[in-house]
Every structure is written in C-alpha cells, then in structure tokens.
Amino acid sequence: MKQEATCEQELIAIRDSLEILGGKWKLRIMRHLNNHITETNTFKKIQREVEGISAKMLSKELQDLETNLLITRTVMNTRPITVNYAITEYGKSVFPVTETLVQWGLNHRQKIK
C-alpha cells in the first residue's frame, strides 16, 4: 500500500525534481534524445538541433543528466572519437511528467492569446 507523503516531503520531492530537471535546457535535451532514440546522437548533432544552446552549456547539461542516470554517454572507437548520447530507461520515466507539461504549455498559450 502506497503511503501518503507529508506536505514537507512533497515540497522536498518537488525541489529535488526541479534541481535535477530544471533550467532552460535539460528537458529539451532529453526530449530530443527520446524523439531520436533510434539515431546516433552526437554532441554536435544535439547542439545543432537543440536551438540556441552553447557548447559549454550543452557539455554541462549532458554531464548533469549523466550523473543523475537519465542519459548514457558512449565513446565509440572511431577516428576521430565519436561520443553518442542516449536516454536511459530511468530517463524515460520522466516522460509522463513532460507530456503533462507539454499539454499544459499548449493550453496556456491558447488561454493567454
């Protein structure tokens, strides 16, 4: 049986979630990786397709996502070295939340028009 969280526990959980997923780029990067799951996702490809992100910021965000087990980083044995990024099964657990955010965002844009 699932135990109800206290208000304090809920607020801590929200804080933790926002620390891991918050900011301008992380969810966009994860969404890109999920939408291109069958493709090779190199650093340059992600930078090209996640419009506006700098190389420095992309590097930091990818590191954070990997540290939190949401993506994997695989170094390929090629010349020059190629690094591929992919979403993990654990990372996919974020998508029910992001789907809700997408729907809310679409509805919000309609409401404020």
Side-chain angles (χ1 to χ4, degrees):
M1 186 166 109
K2 188 175 177 181
Q3 182 180 356
E4 287 289 315
T6 66
C7 182
E8 182 181 3
Q9 290 169 327
E10 288 178 356
L11 293 174
I12 290 170
I14 289 170
R15 182 201 63 205
D16 292 348
S17 299
L18 290 175
E19 282 180 10
I20 294 167
L21 300 172
K24 184 176 180 179
W25 302 109
K26 286 185 182 127
L27 288 177
R28 291 171 66 185
I29 293 165
M30 289 184 64
R31 192 81 181 185
H32 167 80
L33 292 174
N34 192 62
N35 290 346
H36 298 90
I37 203 160
T38 60
E39 302 170 21
T40 299
N41 289 291
T42 63
F43 184 92
K44 283 293 186 191
K45 179 180 179 196
I46 297 167
Q47 186 180 15
R48 244 188 340 267
E49 295 189 17
V50 177
E51 195 172 309
I53 193 167
S54 69
K56 183 178 179 179
M57 180 58 72
L58 179 57
S59 179
K60 179 200 169 301
E61 298 291 60
L62 289 169
Q63 252 181 351
D64 289 350
L65 292 168
E66 184 182 12
T67 297
N68 285 292
L69 309 177
L70 300 171
I71 66 168
T72 58
R73 178 182 185 272
T74 306
V75 179
M76 311 302 261
N77 190 16
T78 58
R79 294 220 184 258
I81 291 176
T82 306
V83 179
N84 187 49
Y85 296 91
I87 194 139
T88 63
E89 286 302 314
Y90 180 59
K92 291 177 187 176
S93 70
V94 171
F95 289 103
V97 175
T98 63
E99 285 301 318
T100 302
L101 284 171
V102 166
Q103 288 308 307
W104 186 88
L106 292 171
N107 293 338
H108 178 68
R109 282 188 178 267
Q110 289 297 315
K111 185 145 185 96
I112 64 170
K113 269 189 173 180

